[in-house]
mmCIF file of all heavy atoms in Angstrom:
data_model
loop_
_atom_site.group_PDB
_atom_site.id
_atom_site.type_symbol
_atom_site.label_atom_id
_atom_site.label_comp_id
_atom_site.label_asym_id
_atom_site.label_seq_id
_atom_site.Cartn_x
_atom_site.Cartn_y
_atom_site.Cartn_z
ATOM 1 N N SER Q 270 -22.993 81.576 5.527
ATOM 2 C CA SER Q 270 -24.010 82.574 5.134
ATOM 3 C C SER Q 270 -23.382 83.737 4.337
ATOM 4 O O SER Q 270 -24.027 84.433 3.535
ATOM 5 C CB SER Q 270 -24.807 83.118 6.346
ATOM 6 O OG SER Q 270 -23.910 83.792 7.239
ATOM 7 N N GLY Q 271 -22.069 83.980 4.635
ATOM 8 C CA GLY Q 271 -21.392 85.037 3.961
ATOM 9 C C GLY Q 271 -20.770 84.604 2.639
ATOM 10 O O GLY Q 271 -20.164 85.484 1.976
ATOM 11 N N GLY Q 272 -20.840 83.350 2.297
ATOM 12 C CA GLY Q 272 -20.373 82.903 0.994
ATOM 13 C C GLY Q 272 -19.020 82.236 1.018
ATOM 14 O O GLY Q 272 -18.466 81.848 -0.033
ATOM 15 N N SER Q 273 -18.475 82.097 2.210
ATOM 16 C CA SER Q 273 -17.102 81.420 2.248
ATOM 17 C C SER Q 273 -17.326 79.973 2.029
ATOM 18 O O SER Q 273 -18.240 79.374 2.516
ATOM 19 C CB SER Q 273 -16.509 81.657 3.662
ATOM 20 O OG SER Q 273 -15.256 81.015 3.787
ATOM 21 N N THR Q 274 -16.429 79.355 1.206
ATOM 22 C CA THR Q 274 -16.618 77.952 0.868
ATOM 23 C C THR Q 274 -15.380 77.111 1.244
ATOM 24 O O THR Q 274 -14.313 77.567 1.395
ATOM 25 C CB THR Q 274 -16.784 77.822 -0.695
ATOM 26 O OG1 THR Q 274 -15.691 78.372 -1.379
ATOM 27 C CG2 THR Q 274 -18.076 78.501 -1.101
ATOM 28 N N ASP Q 275 -15.681 75.807 1.348
ATOM 29 C CA ASP Q 275 -14.598 74.850 1.655
ATOM 30 C C ASP Q 275 -14.878 73.563 0.876
ATOM 31 O O ASP Q 275 -16.042 73.121 0.865
ATOM 32 C CB ASP Q 275 -14.546 74.522 3.127
ATOM 33 C CG ASP Q 275 -13.375 73.713 3.572
ATOM 34 O OD1 ASP Q 275 -12.376 73.745 2.869
ATOM 35 O OD2 ASP Q 275 -13.486 72.994 4.618
ATOM 36 N N TYR Q 276 -13.846 73.023 0.250
ATOM 37 C CA TYR Q 276 -14.026 71.827 -0.597
ATOM 38 C C TYR Q 276 -13.073 70.742 -0.205
ATOM 39 O O TYR Q 276 -11.929 71.066 0.221
ATOM 40 C CB TYR Q 276 -13.777 72.129 -2.044
ATOM 41 C CG TYR Q 276 -14.763 73.100 -2.698
ATOM 42 C CD1 TYR Q 276 -14.570 74.473 -2.726
ATOM 43 C CD2 TYR Q 276 -16.014 72.614 -3.201
ATOM 44 C CE1 TYR Q 276 -15.467 75.380 -3.268
ATOM 45 C CE2 TYR Q 276 -16.884 73.504 -3.773
ATOM 46 C CZ TYR Q 276 -16.652 74.861 -3.829
ATOM 47 O OH TYR Q 276 -17.539 75.665 -4.369
ATOM 48 N N ALA Q 277 -13.506 69.503 -0.363
ATOM 49 C CA ALA Q 277 -12.580 68.365 -0.156
ATOM 50 C C ALA Q 277 -11.583 68.358 -1.342
ATOM 51 O O ALA Q 277 -11.857 68.801 -2.473
ATOM 52 C CB ALA Q 277 -13.307 67.075 -0.068
ATOM 53 N N ASP Q 278 -10.358 67.924 -1.004
ATOM 54 C CA ASP Q 278 -9.323 67.883 -2.075
ATOM 55 C C ASP Q 278 -9.726 66.979 -3.232
ATOM 56 O O ASP Q 278 -9.431 67.274 -4.371
ATOM 57 C CB ASP Q 278 -8.035 67.316 -1.516
ATOM 58 C CG ASP Q 278 -7.372 68.321 -0.518
ATOM 59 O OD1 ASP Q 278 -7.703 69.490 -0.562
ATOM 60 O OD2 ASP Q 278 -6.497 67.847 0.318
ATOM 61 N N SER Q 279 -10.496 65.997 -2.937
ATOM 62 C CA SER Q 279 -10.913 64.985 -3.941
ATOM 63 C C SER Q 279 -11.929 65.572 -4.959
ATOM 64 O O SER Q 279 -12.070 64.969 -6.064
ATOM 65 C CB SER Q 279 -11.511 63.736 -3.283
ATOM 66 O OG SER Q 279 -12.656 64.069 -2.461
ATOM 67 N N VAL Q 280 -12.544 66.658 -4.604
ATOM 68 C CA VAL Q 280 -13.608 67.256 -5.544
ATOM 69 C C VAL Q 280 -13.216 68.642 -6.000
ATOM 70 O O VAL Q 280 -13.924 69.157 -6.804
ATOM 71 C CB VAL Q 280 -14.960 67.234 -4.933
ATOM 72 C CG1 VAL Q 280 -15.373 65.795 -4.563
ATOM 73 C CG2 VAL Q 280 -15.082 68.112 -3.716
ATOM 74 N N GLN Q 281 -12.191 69.167 -5.434
ATOM 75 C CA GLN Q 281 -11.869 70.575 -5.750
ATOM 76 C C GLN Q 281 -11.573 70.687 -7.234
ATOM 77 O O GLN Q 281 -10.861 69.918 -7.790
ATOM 78 C CB GLN Q 281 -10.634 71.006 -4.974
ATOM 79 C CG GLN Q 281 -10.421 72.518 -4.918
ATOM 80 C CD GLN Q 281 -9.505 72.911 -3.822
ATOM 81 O OE1 GLN Q 281 -8.465 72.279 -3.594
ATOM 82 N NE2 GLN Q 281 -9.810 74.023 -3.101
ATOM 83 N N GLY Q 282 -12.153 71.679 -7.834
ATOM 84 C CA GLY Q 282 -12.099 71.855 -9.279
ATOM 85 C C GLY Q 282 -13.155 71.137 -10.085
ATOM 86 O O GLY Q 282 -13.315 71.440 -11.254
ATOM 87 N N ARG Q 283 -13.858 70.270 -9.514
ATOM 88 C CA ARG Q 283 -14.957 69.494 -10.157
ATOM 89 C C ARG Q 283 -16.266 69.803 -9.490
ATOM 90 O O ARG Q 283 -17.331 69.299 -9.992
ATOM 91 C CB ARG Q 283 -14.665 68.024 -10.052
ATOM 92 C CG ARG Q 283 -13.403 67.549 -10.689
ATOM 93 C CD ARG Q 283 -13.251 66.021 -10.753
ATOM 94 N NE ARG Q 283 -13.214 65.436 -9.381
ATOM 95 C CZ ARG Q 283 -14.192 64.609 -9.005
ATOM 96 N NH1 ARG Q 283 -15.230 64.245 -9.756
ATOM 97 N NH2 ARG Q 283 -14.097 64.054 -7.751
ATOM 98 N N CYS Q 284 -16.305 70.593 -8.460
ATOM 99 C CA CYS Q 284 -17.501 70.790 -7.695
ATOM 100 C C CYS Q 284 -17.651 72.253 -7.309
ATOM 101 O O CYS Q 284 -16.705 72.934 -7.062
ATOM 102 C CB CYS Q 284 -17.377 69.932 -6.389
ATOM 103 S SG CYS Q 284 -18.793 70.082 -5.260
ATOM 104 N N THR Q 285 -18.897 72.689 -7.260
ATOM 105 C CA THR Q 285 -19.226 74.049 -6.857
ATOM 106 C C THR Q 285 -20.461 74.023 -5.954
ATOM 107 O O THR Q 285 -21.453 73.483 -6.317
ATOM 108 C CB THR Q 285 -19.506 74.925 -8.109
ATOM 109 O OG1 THR Q 285 -18.437 74.944 -9.003
ATOM 110 C CG2 THR Q 285 -19.869 76.347 -7.648
ATOM 111 N N ILE Q 286 -20.291 74.649 -4.818
ATOM 112 C CA ILE Q 286 -21.444 74.831 -3.835
ATOM 113 C C ILE Q 286 -21.833 76.254 -3.814
ATOM 114 O O ILE Q 286 -21.079 77.219 -3.899
ATOM 115 C CB ILE Q 286 -21.031 74.338 -2.462
ATOM 116 C CG1 ILE Q 286 -22.206 74.260 -1.525
ATOM 117 C CG2 ILE Q 286 -19.914 75.232 -1.868
ATOM 118 C CD1 ILE Q 286 -21.971 73.607 -0.237
ATOM 119 N N ASN Q 287 -23.197 76.459 -3.806
ATOM 120 C CA ASN Q 287 -23.710 77.751 -3.710
ATOM 121 C C ASN Q 287 -25.003 77.655 -2.944
ATOM 122 O O ASN Q 287 -25.524 76.600 -2.762
ATOM 123 C CB ASN Q 287 -23.895 78.412 -5.069
ATOM 124 C CG ASN Q 287 -24.758 77.628 -6.039
ATOM 125 O OD1 ASN Q 287 -25.993 77.625 -5.888
ATOM 126 N ND2 ASN Q 287 -24.160 76.886 -6.938
ATOM 127 N N ARG Q 288 -25.511 78.806 -2.504
ATOM 128 C CA ARG Q 288 -26.709 78.836 -1.735
ATOM 129 C C ARG Q 288 -27.563 80.080 -2.033
ATOM 130 O O ARG Q 288 -27.118 81.062 -2.534
ATOM 131 C CB ARG Q 288 -26.442 78.804 -0.176
ATOM 132 C CG ARG Q 288 -25.684 80.061 0.255
ATOM 133 C CD ARG Q 288 -25.270 79.870 1.717
ATOM 134 N NE ARG Q 288 -26.380 79.866 2.628
ATOM 135 C CZ ARG Q 288 -26.295 79.674 3.939
ATOM 136 N NH1 ARG Q 288 -25.078 79.518 4.490
ATOM 137 N NH2 ARG Q 288 -27.400 79.591 4.720
ATOM 138 N N ASP Q 289 -28.874 79.868 -1.782
ATOM 139 C CA ASP Q 289 -29.864 80.995 -1.899
ATOM 140 C C ASP Q 289 -30.343 81.262 -0.450
ATOM 141 O O ASP Q 289 -31.199 80.488 0.050
ATOM 142 C CB ASP Q 289 -30.970 80.586 -2.841
ATOM 143 C CG ASP Q 289 -31.929 81.739 -3.081
ATOM 144 O OD1 ASP Q 289 -32.064 82.621 -2.242
ATOM 145 O OD2 ASP Q 289 -32.635 81.721 -4.110
ATOM 146 N N ASN Q 290 -29.767 82.189 0.178
ATOM 147 C CA ASN Q 290 -30.129 82.466 1.568
ATOM 148 C C ASN Q 290 -31.636 82.808 1.768
ATOM 149 O O ASN Q 290 -32.204 82.364 2.795
ATOM 150 C CB ASN Q 290 -29.268 83.650 2.140
ATOM 151 C CG ASN Q 290 -27.790 83.294 2.231
ATOM 152 O OD1 ASN Q 290 -27.405 82.095 2.383
ATOM 153 N ND2 ASN Q 290 -26.930 84.285 2.273
ATOM 154 N N ALA Q 291 -32.229 83.462 0.825
ATOM 155 C CA ALA Q 291 -33.672 83.797 1.000
ATOM 156 C C ALA Q 291 -34.488 82.566 0.927
ATOM 157 O O ALA Q 291 -35.589 82.573 1.503
ATOM 158 C CB ALA Q 291 -33.988 84.762 -0.173
ATOM 159 N N LYS Q 292 -34.056 81.547 0.280
ATOM 160 C CA LYS Q 292 -34.846 80.291 0.168
ATOM 161 C C LYS Q 292 -34.315 79.200 1.108
ATOM 162 O O LYS Q 292 -34.884 78.070 1.039
ATOM 163 C CB LYS Q 292 -34.830 79.742 -1.248
ATOM 164 C CG LYS Q 292 -35.482 80.678 -2.268
ATOM 165 C CD LYS Q 292 -35.480 80.101 -3.633
ATOM 166 C CE LYS Q 292 -36.158 81.051 -4.670
ATOM 167 N NZ LYS Q 292 -36.135 80.489 -6.051
ATOM 168 N N ASN Q 293 -33.272 79.496 1.828
ATOM 169 C CA ASN Q 293 -32.687 78.493 2.777
ATOM 170 C C ASN Q 293 -32.343 77.216 1.963
ATOM 171 O O ASN Q 293 -32.604 76.110 2.422
ATOM 172 C CB ASN Q 293 -33.505 78.163 3.905
ATOM 173 C CG ASN Q 293 -33.581 79.334 4.898
ATOM 174 O OD1 ASN Q 293 -32.654 80.117 5.071
ATOM 175 N ND2 ASN Q 293 -34.669 79.445 5.649
ATOM 176 N N THR Q 294 -31.740 77.369 0.837
ATOM 177 C CA THR Q 294 -31.425 76.270 -0.056
ATOM 178 C C THR Q 294 -30.002 76.282 -0.480
ATOM 179 O O THR Q 294 -29.448 77.328 -0.729
ATOM 180 C CB THR Q 294 -32.320 76.289 -1.290
ATOM 181 O OG1 THR Q 294 -33.701 76.232 -0.958
ATOM 182 C CG2 THR Q 294 -32.004 75.198 -2.268
ATOM 183 N N VAL Q 295 -29.350 75.061 -0.475
ATOM 184 C CA VAL Q 295 -28.004 74.965 -0.967
ATOM 185 C C VAL Q 295 -27.962 74.010 -2.084
ATOM 186 O O VAL Q 295 -28.687 73.083 -2.164
ATOM 187 C CB VAL Q 295 -27.073 74.434 0.259
ATOM 188 C CG1 VAL Q 295 -27.512 73.067 0.694
ATOM 189 C CG2 VAL Q 295 -25.630 74.475 -0.090
ATOM 190 N N TYR Q 296 -27.030 74.290 -3.018
ATOM 191 C CA TYR Q 296 -26.903 73.464 -4.185
ATOM 192 C C TYR Q 296 -25.409 72.954 -4.333
ATOM 193 O O TYR Q 296 -24.464 73.637 -3.906
ATOM 194 C CB TYR Q 296 -27.237 74.312 -5.436
ATOM 195 C CG TYR Q 296 -28.520 74.989 -5.405
ATOM 196 C CD1 TYR Q 296 -28.640 76.264 -4.965
ATOM 197 C CD2 TYR Q 296 -29.675 74.349 -5.860
ATOM 198 C CE1 TYR Q 296 -29.882 76.905 -4.927
ATOM 199 C CE2 TYR Q 296 -30.938 74.919 -5.830
ATOM 200 C CZ TYR Q 296 -31.048 76.265 -5.340
ATOM 201 O OH TYR Q 296 -32.279 76.845 -5.285
ATOM 202 N N LEU Q 297 -25.357 71.788 -4.864
ATOM 203 C CA LEU Q 297 -24.027 71.203 -5.127
ATOM 204 C C LEU Q 297 -23.970 70.794 -6.601
ATOM 205 O O LEU Q 297 -24.685 69.886 -6.978
ATOM 206 C CB LEU Q 297 -23.703 70.039 -4.244
ATOM 207 C CG LEU Q 297 -22.338 69.382 -4.411
ATOM 208 C CD1 LEU Q 297 -21.246 70.309 -3.925
ATOM 209 C CD2 LEU Q 297 -22.225 68.090 -3.658
ATOM 210 N N GLU Q 298 -23.157 71.484 -7.376
ATOM 211 C CA GLU Q 298 -23.012 71.152 -8.777
ATOM 212 C C GLU Q 298 -21.699 70.362 -8.934
ATOM 213 O O GLU Q 298 -20.646 70.822 -8.586
ATOM 214 C CB GLU Q 298 -22.928 72.380 -9.630
ATOM 215 C CG GLU Q 298 -24.225 73.198 -9.582
ATOM 216 C CD GLU Q 298 -24.196 74.423 -10.491
ATOM 217 O OE1 GLU Q 298 -23.132 74.769 -10.935
ATOM 218 O OE2 GLU Q 298 -25.242 75.077 -10.655
ATOM 219 N N MET Q 299 -21.805 69.125 -9.502
ATOM 220 C CA MET Q 299 -20.666 68.281 -9.674
ATOM 221 C C MET Q 299 -20.543 67.936 -11.173
ATOM 222 O O MET Q 299 -21.489 67.615 -11.847
ATOM 223 C CB MET Q 299 -20.851 67.009 -8.846
ATOM 224 C CG MET Q 299 -21.010 67.199 -7.401
ATOM 225 S SD MET Q 299 -21.147 65.631 -6.423
ATOM 226 C CE MET Q 299 -22.782 65.109 -6.904
ATOM 227 N N ASN Q 300 -19.305 67.979 -11.555
ATOM 228 C CA ASN Q 300 -18.945 67.609 -12.988
ATOM 229 C C ASN Q 300 -17.747 66.721 -13.017
ATOM 230 O O ASN Q 300 -17.111 66.517 -12.005
ATOM 231 C CB ASN Q 300 -18.873 68.813 -13.880
ATOM 232 C CG ASN Q 300 -17.761 69.806 -13.398
ATOM 233 O OD1 ASN Q 300 -16.665 69.498 -13.322
ATOM 234 N ND2 ASN Q 300 -18.223 71.029 -13.095
ATOM 235 N N SER Q 301 -17.483 66.205 -14.200
ATOM 236 C CA SER Q 301 -16.333 65.250 -14.325
ATOM 237 C C SER Q 301 -16.433 64.112 -13.267
ATOM 238 O O SER Q 301 -15.427 63.781 -12.685
ATOM 239 C CB SER Q 301 -15.056 66.055 -14.306
ATOM 240 O OG SER Q 301 -14.928 66.952 -15.350
ATOM 241 N N LEU Q 302 -17.602 63.598 -13.079
ATOM 242 C CA LEU Q 302 -17.768 62.628 -12.017
ATOM 243 C C LEU Q 302 -16.995 61.344 -12.309
ATOM 244 O O LEU Q 302 -16.925 60.928 -13.460
ATOM 245 C CB LEU Q 302 -19.246 62.332 -11.840
ATOM 246 C CG LEU Q 302 -20.082 63.440 -11.179
ATOM 247 C CD1 LEU Q 302 -21.535 63.220 -11.359
ATOM 248 C CD2 LEU Q 302 -19.759 63.482 -9.673
ATOM 249 N N LYS Q 303 -16.546 60.747 -11.202
ATOM 250 C CA LYS Q 303 -15.778 59.528 -11.276
ATOM 251 C C LYS Q 303 -16.476 58.391 -10.499
ATOM 252 O O LYS Q 303 -17.334 58.695 -9.593
ATOM 253 C CB LYS Q 303 -14.422 59.680 -10.605
ATOM 254 C CG LYS Q 303 -13.604 60.919 -11.243
ATOM 255 C CD LYS Q 303 -12.371 61.108 -10.484
ATOM 256 C CE LYS Q 303 -11.544 62.304 -11.031
ATOM 257 N NZ LYS Q 303 -10.323 62.594 -10.222
ATOM 258 N N PRO Q 304 -16.200 57.176 -10.801
ATOM 259 C CA PRO Q 304 -16.863 56.096 -10.072
ATOM 260 C C PRO Q 304 -16.651 56.221 -8.505
ATOM 261 O O PRO Q 304 -17.502 55.813 -7.827
ATOM 262 C CB PRO Q 304 -16.213 54.802 -10.628
ATOM 263 C CG PRO Q 304 -15.835 55.207 -12.009
ATOM 264 C CD PRO Q 304 -15.434 56.653 -11.933
ATOM 265 N N GLU Q 305 -15.532 56.733 -8.078
ATOM 266 C CA GLU Q 305 -15.215 56.843 -6.734
ATOM 267 C C GLU Q 305 -16.062 57.929 -6.037
ATOM 268 O O GLU Q 305 -16.026 58.092 -4.812
ATOM 269 C CB GLU Q 305 -13.738 57.094 -6.500
ATOM 270 C CG GLU Q 305 -13.144 58.129 -7.402
ATOM 271 C CD GLU Q 305 -12.480 57.564 -8.652
ATOM 272 O OE1 GLU Q 305 -13.040 56.675 -9.242
ATOM 273 O OE2 GLU Q 305 -11.309 57.961 -8.880
ATOM 274 N N ASP Q 306 -16.809 58.645 -6.819
ATOM 275 C CA ASP Q 306 -17.765 59.681 -6.254
ATOM 276 C C ASP Q 306 -19.048 58.974 -5.816
ATOM 277 O O ASP Q 306 -19.891 59.679 -5.224
ATOM 278 C CB ASP Q 306 -18.037 60.794 -7.292
ATOM 279 C CG ASP Q 306 -16.860 61.683 -7.589
ATOM 280 O OD1 ASP Q 306 -16.102 61.945 -6.623
ATOM 281 O OD2 ASP Q 306 -16.628 61.990 -8.731
ATOM 282 N N THR Q 307 -19.222 57.743 -6.169
ATOM 283 C CA THR Q 307 -20.433 56.991 -5.790
ATOM 284 C C THR Q 307 -20.517 56.980 -4.224
ATOM 285 O O THR Q 307 -19.677 56.447 -3.602
ATOM 286 C CB THR Q 307 -20.387 55.603 -6.416
ATOM 287 O OG1 THR Q 307 -20.364 55.688 -7.782
ATOM 288 C CG2 THR Q 307 -21.649 54.850 -5.858
ATOM 289 N N ALA Q 308 -21.668 57.432 -3.775
ATOM 290 C CA ALA Q 308 -21.890 57.478 -2.308
ATOM 291 C C ALA Q 308 -23.291 57.978 -2.081
ATOM 292 O O ALA Q 308 -23.974 58.539 -2.953
ATOM 293 C CB ALA Q 308 -20.916 58.368 -1.607
ATOM 294 N N VAL Q 309 -23.719 57.948 -0.832
ATOM 295 C CA VAL Q 309 -24.894 58.618 -0.351
ATOM 296 C C VAL Q 309 -24.498 60.015 0.073
ATOM 297 O O VAL Q 309 -23.578 60.143 0.910
ATOM 298 C CB VAL Q 309 -25.642 57.919 0.772
ATOM 299 C CG1 VAL Q 309 -26.825 58.694 1.309
ATOM 300 C CG2 VAL Q 309 -26.079 56.522 0.381
ATOM 301 N N TYR Q 310 -25.093 60.996 -0.476
ATOM 302 C CA TYR Q 310 -24.765 62.352 -0.128
ATOM 303 C C TYR Q 310 -25.784 62.939 0.771
ATOM 304 O O TYR Q 310 -26.993 62.882 0.568
ATOM 305 C CB TYR Q 310 -24.713 63.245 -1.455
ATOM 306 C CG TYR Q 310 -23.521 63.001 -2.294
ATOM 307 C CD1 TYR Q 310 -23.282 61.756 -2.923
ATOM 308 C CD2 TYR Q 310 -22.518 63.937 -2.374
ATOM 309 C CE1 TYR Q 310 -22.179 61.459 -3.720
ATOM 310 C CE2 TYR Q 310 -21.362 63.678 -3.122
ATOM 311 C CZ TYR Q 310 -21.214 62.461 -3.788
ATOM 312 O OH TYR Q 310 -20.064 62.178 -4.536
ATOM 313 N N TYR Q 311 -25.278 63.517 1.893
ATOM 314 C CA TYR Q 311 -26.111 64.118 2.923
ATOM 315 C C TYR Q 311 -25.953 65.610 3.006
ATOM 316 O O TYR Q 311 -24.820 66.104 2.926
ATOM 317 C CB TYR Q 311 -25.774 63.508 4.277
ATOM 318 C CG TYR Q 311 -25.969 62.005 4.394
ATOM 319 C CD1 TYR Q 311 -25.000 61.123 4.075
ATOM 320 C CD2 TYR Q 311 -27.204 61.482 4.815
ATOM 321 C CE1 TYR Q 311 -25.196 59.733 4.196
ATOM 322 C CE2 TYR Q 311 -27.382 60.156 4.922
ATOM 323 C CZ TYR Q 311 -26.387 59.268 4.673
ATOM 324 O OH TYR Q 311 -26.565 57.941 4.793
ATOM 325 N N CYS Q 312 -27.006 66.229 3.213
ATOM 326 C CA CYS Q 312 -27.094 67.711 3.440
ATOM 327 C C CYS Q 312 -27.012 68.000 4.961
ATOM 328 O O CYS Q 312 -27.670 67.280 5.793
ATOM 329 C CB CYS Q 312 -28.272 68.368 2.773
ATOM 330 S SG CYS Q 312 -28.416 70.126 3.013
ATOM 331 N N ASN Q 313 -26.364 69.076 5.306
ATOM 332 C CA ASN Q 313 -26.270 69.447 6.721
ATOM 333 C C ASN Q 313 -26.489 70.962 6.814
ATOM 334 O O ASN Q 313 -26.040 71.742 5.944
ATOM 335 C CB ASN Q 313 -24.989 69.105 7.354
ATOM 336 C CG ASN Q 313 -24.772 69.648 8.754
ATOM 337 O OD1 ASN Q 313 -24.145 70.672 8.924
ATOM 338 N ND2 ASN Q 313 -25.335 69.026 9.751
#
């Protein structure tokens, strides 16, 4: 909630997470995607 972030080594530099606390919404922006990024992505 304070904005501290943590990234997996495999996506660091290619991924940005941010949130809108007022809307209780989180976003994940991914770029330079690779075939190995293929997966089901779950929100928690």
Side-chain angles (χ1 to χ4, degrees):
S270 61
S273 179
T274 59
D275 188 27
Y276 296 94
D278 291 341
S279 59
V280 302
Q281 197 164 41
R283 303 187 296 118
C284 178
T285 301
I286 188 170
N287 57 79
R288 64 186 293 178
D289 185 335
N290 291 337
K292 297 180 179 180
N293 288 332
T294 300
V295 65
Y296 306 93
L297 182 68
E298 297 180 351
M299 301 182 290
N300 56 63
S301 300
L302 286 165
K303 306 173 181 179
E305 46 264 48
D306 293 319
T307 298
V309 177
Y310 285 69
Y311 297 91
C312 177
N313 173 263

